[in-house]
Structure formats: C-alpha cells, structure tokens
Amino acid sequence: MLTGEQYKKSLNDGRATFFEGHRINDLIAHPVLGQSVDQVAKGYDRWHRPGKDARNPLMSVPRSADELRERIPMQHGADILALVTYQSLMTLTTAAARIGGALPEFARRIRAYVENAQLNDIRIVECITDAKGDRSLPPAQQDDPDAYTHVVSRTDKGVVIRGAKLHITAASLAHELMVIPTKAMHKGEESYAIACVVPVNAPGVKIVNTSYAPRLEDVRSFPFSSRIHMPEGFVIFDDVFVPNERVMLDGQTEHAAVFAHSLGLWERLGGLSDMAEQADQLVGLAQLIAEANGLAGVSHVREKISEMIIHATLVRAALEAALGNCEMSADGTAFPNELFTNAGKYHAAANYNMMVRHLHDVAGGSILTAPAISDLENESTGQLVRKYMSTGKGVDGEYRLRLFHAIRDLTADAYGGWRQVTNVQAGGGLYAQRIVTRRHYDLNGAKRKALEAAGIGGGHPETPGAGRKA
Ligand SMILES: Cc1cc2nc3c(=O)[nH]c(=O)nc-3n(C[C@H](O)[C@H](O)[C@H](O)COP(=O)(O)OP(=O)(O)OC[C@H]3O[C@@H](n4cnc5c(N)ncnc54)[C@H](O)[C@@H]3O)c2cc1C
C-alpha cells in the first residue's frame, strides 16, 4: 500500500492538467488543487498498513449484507477520491459478473485489473458522462461524431479513443480513468461501445479542472468546504492509445448498458448513504440554531424540524433496506438492492430542497450576513459583534456565529450549491432513478393486489418490462 508521501510523488508523472487557463506544473504545490492532494494523502496515511500483500479494507469486494453495511462508515470517513475508487472497483466487479458468461475474456481482464488495482493501492475515477452533443440524437447521428467517446482507429496492439468525459470528480488527482459507455448502444454504434482503463498521464489525455474550494486566505468561515473540496475534471481524450489488455468492451453494443447500470447502482448507493448522513447533519443544525435563537419550543419551528426528522429517518430506512435486501452474484459478491437503492436515492434527492428550505426558514438571515471569525478578533468590532450575535446568557455570540457559517457553507454558498446540484445529478439525473425504480418494482403484483382488493375478477394483461431485473 502507498503512504501519503508516496501518493504525492506518484502524481509527478507528466499529466496534462489545467486550472483557470493555465497548465499545472506542480499539483502538490498548487494553491487550490494542492489542498485536495493533501486530503487524499491523509486518506492514504489513515489506511496504510505495511507488508506487500496489505490491502485497503474499503477497496475489498463485500461478500454479505453485513460487509456492505461495514463499508458505510468507512465511506463517510473517506475522501471523495477513495470513495469513487471503491465505486469504480465495484462497478467493474459487477460488470464482470454480468458479462462473464457472454464475454469471458473481457471479464478476465476486468478481474485481473481489479486485483492489481487493489494490490497497488491506486485511485481510479468514473468516466461515464460524455459531452453528448444534441441530447435528442444518438451518438452516430450527432453533427460531431466525437460527442460520445469512441474508437477512431485500431491496430493489433490496441485501440485509439477520442471524445470527452465531463464532470469527472477528482480526475486530476487519480492514477487511472475508468472509461465506460454512458448509455445503451445499438447496432451501428459499435465504435461507441468501448470500455477501458486509461492512465491519467497517457499521451493525449487533458484535464481541465474547476473547484468550489474557498479562495480566502482565512477559511475559518468555511468549516466544511475548507476541509473537503475536490476538483471536478473536464477530461479530454485527444486520440489516446489504449493497449488491448486494458480494453474491457469493444463493439459489443448489446453489453454497453451493463457498465452504466453497474456504475449507477454503486454511485446511487454512495449518494443515498451520503444523503442519509447529510440529512442527520441538517436536522442537527436546524435544532441547534433553533435552540440558539430561543425558538426551539415554538410550534411551527418544531413542526418543520419534525418533518426534517421524518425525511432523515426514511432516507436512513431506504439505505438499510438497500443493504439488508442485497443480492448475491454467482461469484459471491453482494450488490445493494436495485429497487431500494434507486427509490431511496430519488426520494432523498427530490426532497433535499425541503430540508434546506426548512433549515433556512428556521435559522434566519445571518446565514448569509454573519461577520467573519476575524471580525471577532478586531479590537474595535470584536466585543460588539460577540454581544449582538449572542441571544442570551447561555448562548455565546461566537458559537452562534459559527453555526451560521456552518449552515451557509453547507447549504448557501459555493459548496452548498455544489451539493444541491450533485444530489440531483450525480449517478444520473432523477429521471434515471425513476426508470430503474419502475423496472424493478413489481407493477404486475400491484395490479393484482388492486384487483383482488376491489373484488374485480377476470385477471389483467401483464405490463411489459415491469419488475424486470437490469
Ligand atoms: C458535481 C458533479 C459531479 C459529477 N461527477 C461525475 C463523475 O465523477 N463521473 C461522471 O461520469 N459523471 C459525473 N457527473 C455527471 C452526472 O452524472 C451528469 O451530470 C448527469 O448524468 C446528467 O448529465 P448531463 O450533466 O450531461 O445533463 P443532461 O444529460 O443534459 O441532462 C439534463 C436534463 O435533460 C434530461 N435529458 C437528457 N437527455 C435526454 C433525452 N435524450 N431524453 C429525455 N431527457 C433527457 C435529463 O434527464 C436531465 O433532466 C457529475 C455531475 C455533477 C454535477
């Protein structure tokens, strides 16, 4: 396994990565991305065990509901890059189990890759979302054939790919890019049915970064985002050669969707477990600020917080149902339950705005206007800010001010905006979760129950595709 220091050194590999118009020559020393590198390095040190066969427990394949459940607190304590690496490894493991019968050679390559990645303790990111051009047109009918990543040429040693994968979390800080088709592909779209793994420093890979990291010198007013920001990567494949051993699907359109479905499952489980944790944090902040404002006993405030508690509890219940009703593959891998994962992720994301609305409603305008921590240290303003931020003897002004900063940073500033959009879009938009939920829900069973309950005989026509497994 790598130490944090070894991880940092490994990034010095000639990768072409850019930020706000400039190529980054030294990621570790970069004023914004360097902080994210430090977070990942700390994660390496936290998990590090000596010995050549040592492995990060988060990266191992779960074999039961209990093992799936054990991963959840590990994920909450991990940096985002470690989390997406786990999801990438599980996506590949799931896809290998699903394509293994029809495409044994690709399944073998995938399993060998996963084994090596675990052993070498590398970090991998999920490259699925293409640029996609005109959303109403399939890949082969786009004005620009590169709107979806595809194979542009091949030799007996491998393939050359071209395209772009957008919004790739932590791409610049990883070692490898897991490239998979963004959706189902059809006859005539063989060149788009490509799955492979590409080193971040491969010639032709260029990554343009964005970041919601706070840019102030004094980040004490950003208690969340100063600790956990990660760049998003706009990843360009400008004719990148991929050797055969790293290719995991090549033209088999009928299997292209397997990769997207596998990623969707693990990405949405990650989203669901993250939102279960976030929901508790939002309830906690609402109760704390209500108490600090002297309003915790007022009926409309209690009702809002009760509604938040019900939401947090149901999201937690959906997570538990997704883990407890896990499905086992033939090779003994435990997969979260598709129905509960997708319905839970949808419900959590669709109602996130309600949680934030209640929190903002309960807290008041100081969410946006509370003075900075440094204003408490100014000899002219410090005592006065403390005095007027206090609401009574038991409520210190600095304590209340810090609560407002926490709420702003988490829900009403750059990081808050990132979370709001991420909850809806990551793992595919809400629409994607509705499709998968409907596919796994027993709709014919529901119709049968309705007819029986209503005392209507004669049976009913089956709804095609309802209750079908992916
Ligand atoms: C912060 C963040 C991090 C992310 N991290 C990753 C990552 O690490 N890796 C990765 O691969 N992706 C990542 N994503 C991408 C995410 O999965 C996509 O944003 C999401 O799938 C939507 O795709 P899009 O952004 O291209 O929007 P669009 O596809 O343009 O979707 C916008 C809306 O249009 C609808 N729509 C689109 N096409 C059609 C159609 N043909 N018919 C009907 N409706 C349609 C969608 O349902 C949605 O409601 C991330 C996104 C965010 C915001």
Side-chain angles (χ1 to χ4, degrees):
M1 293 179 71
L2 299 183
T3 62
E5 213 40 50
Q6 287 168 329
Y7 160 70
K8 285 185 174 182
K9 283 206 183 100
S10 72
L11 297 177
N12 190 11
D13 58 3
R15 58 188 59 204
T17 183
F18 300 79
F19 189 62
E20 298 184 344
H22 301 282
R23 182 163 177 168
I24 301 174
N25 295 318
D26 185 351
L27 256 177
I28 301 154
H30 190 270
V32 179
L33 273 65
Q35 297 172 26
S36 307
V37 171
D38 281 338
Q39 292 163 36
V40 179
K42 276 189 196 134
Y44 267 104
D45 283 335
R46 180 177 158 213
W47 294 110
H48 183 261
R49 305 281 178 280
K52 70 178 173 37
D53 293 327
R55 313 237 176 150
N56 184 331
L58 175 60
M59 304 304 169
S60 64
V61 174
R63 303 284 177 198
S64 65
D66 283 345
E67 286 191 17
L68 261 178
R69 200 174 285 108
E70 279 164 18
R71 299 290 184 285
I72 303 295
M74 289 189 212
Q75 289 173 30
H76 291 151
D79 59 88
I80 303 181
L81 180 51
L83 179 61
V84 293
T85 300
Y86 167 64
Q87 290 173 177
S88 300
L89 293 173
M90 291 313 302
T91 297
L92 291 172
T93 303
T94 307
R98 291 177 177 175
I99 65 170
L103 304 170
E105 170 56 16
F106 287 132
R108 181 198 66 75
R109 287 181 195 174
I110 291 175
R111 292 197 178 102
Y113 178 81
V114 168
E115 173 77 20
N116 256 313
Q118 289 166 330
L119 201 57
N120 294 324
D121 203 14
I122 59 168
R123 295 291 181 261
I124 306 165
V125 289
E126 312 159 343
C127 293
I128 178 166
T129 311
D130 283 296
K132 294 189 291 201
D134 181 337
R135 269 69 174 147
S136 68
L137 297 176
Q141 286 175 31
Q142 297 285 337
D143 287 345
D144 183 346
D146 306 335
Y148 287 75
T149 304
H150 63 141
V151 174
V152 288
S153 64
R154 61 179 68 245
T155 67
D156 56 348
K157 295 201 165 50
V159 298
V160 174
I161 62 168
R162 186 187 300 160
K165 296 283 187 183
L166 272 48
H167 335 276
I168 310 307
T169 301
S172 284
L173 273 51
H175 300 106
E176 299 262 343
L177 308 163
M178 177 187 71
V179 179
I180 60 178
T182 198
K183 62 178 204 61
M185 295 294 166
H186 305 287
K187 211 169 167 343
E189 296 171 345
E190 284 73 14
S191 70
Y192 295 96
I194 177 75
C196 55
V197 278
V198 178
V200 172
N201 69 342
V205 171
K206 295 175 186 159
I207 304 176
V208 181
N209 298 277
T210 56
S211 174
Y212 47 84
R215 305 291 185 90
L216 305 179
E217 217 167 271
D218 181 353
V219 292
R220 287 177 295 172
S221 304
F222 296 82
F224 292 95
S225 60
S226 59
R227 286 184 291 114
I228 51 174
H229 59 83
M230 204 46 76
E232 307 293 344
F234 190 114
V235 181
I236 300 160
F237 298 91
D238 196 13
D239 289 5
V240 176
F241 175 72
V242 187
N244 286 330
E245 191 58 26
R246 290 176 153 266
V247 173
M248 292 155 178
L249 188 79
D250 184 11
Q252 296 75 13
T253 50
E254 67 279 19
H255 297 287
V258 167
F259 289 85
H261 289 158
S262 303
L263 177 74
L265 176 60
W266 290 98
E267 177 68 32
R268 287 169 205 151
L269 181 75
L272 176 59
S273 81
D274 203 29
M275 281 191 279
E277 202 63 11
Q278 287 173 23
D280 288 338
Q281 289 172 4
L282 295 174
V283 170
L285 284 169
Q287 182 66 22
L288 287 167
I289 201 67
E291 287 170 6
N293 287 350
L295 291 172
V298 169
S299 66
H300 81 89
V301 172
R302 283 176 62 89
E303 276 167 29
K304 281 166 191 151
I305 296 176
S306 299
E307 205 182 332
M308 294 174 77
I309 291 171
I310 288 169
H311 173 81
T313 306
L314 289 178
V315 173
R316 184 71 60 186
L319 173 62
E320 181 48 42
L323 302 171
N325 295 283
C326 69
E327 289 151 27
M328 301 300 297
S329 73
D331 68 357
T333 304
F335 305 115
N337 178 282
E338 290 268 10
L339 178 65
F340 292 119
T341 302
N342 280 276
K345 161 71 172 61
Y346 176 88
H347 179 79
N351 292 290
Y352 181 74
N353 283 355
M354 176 276 289
M355 296 290 278
V356 173
R357 171 166 54 88
H358 283 336
L359 175 59
H360 289 176
D361 193 3
V362 166
S366 293
I367 299 168
L368 295 182
T369 64
I373 308 289
S374 51
D375 291 313
L376 294 170
E377 292 157 357
N378 180 288
E379 61 182 36
S380 169
T381 59
Q383 278 312 318
L384 293 168
V385 169
R386 197 179 292 273
K387 168 181 157 78
Y388 290 109
M389 283 309 289
S390 169
T391 47
K393 275 205 192 79
V395 184
D396 175 59
E398 177 173 346
Y399 163 76
R400 186 159 167 267
L401 182 126
R402 283 183 182 271
L403 280 180
F404 284 125
H405 285 312
I407 295 170
R408 190 206 71 256
D409 192 24
L410 198 62
T411 62
D413 214 325
Y415 176 55
W418 177 86
R419 279 172 48 128
Q420 188 124 9
V421 178
T422 300
N423 285 342
V424 172
Q425 292 293 353
L430 295 179
Y431 176 56
Q433 285 126 68
R434 279 204 294 267
I435 293 176
V436 183
T437 301
R438 192 182 161 96
R439 188 182 296 146
H440 288 270
Y441 178 77
D442 184 6
L443 193 54
N444 287 313
K447 283 163 54 178
R448 207 165 33 250
K449 284 182 190 175
L451 287 173
E452 277 167 21
I456 304 171
H460 62 90
E462 293 278 301
T463 301
R468 182 168 58 82
K469 301 262 183 232

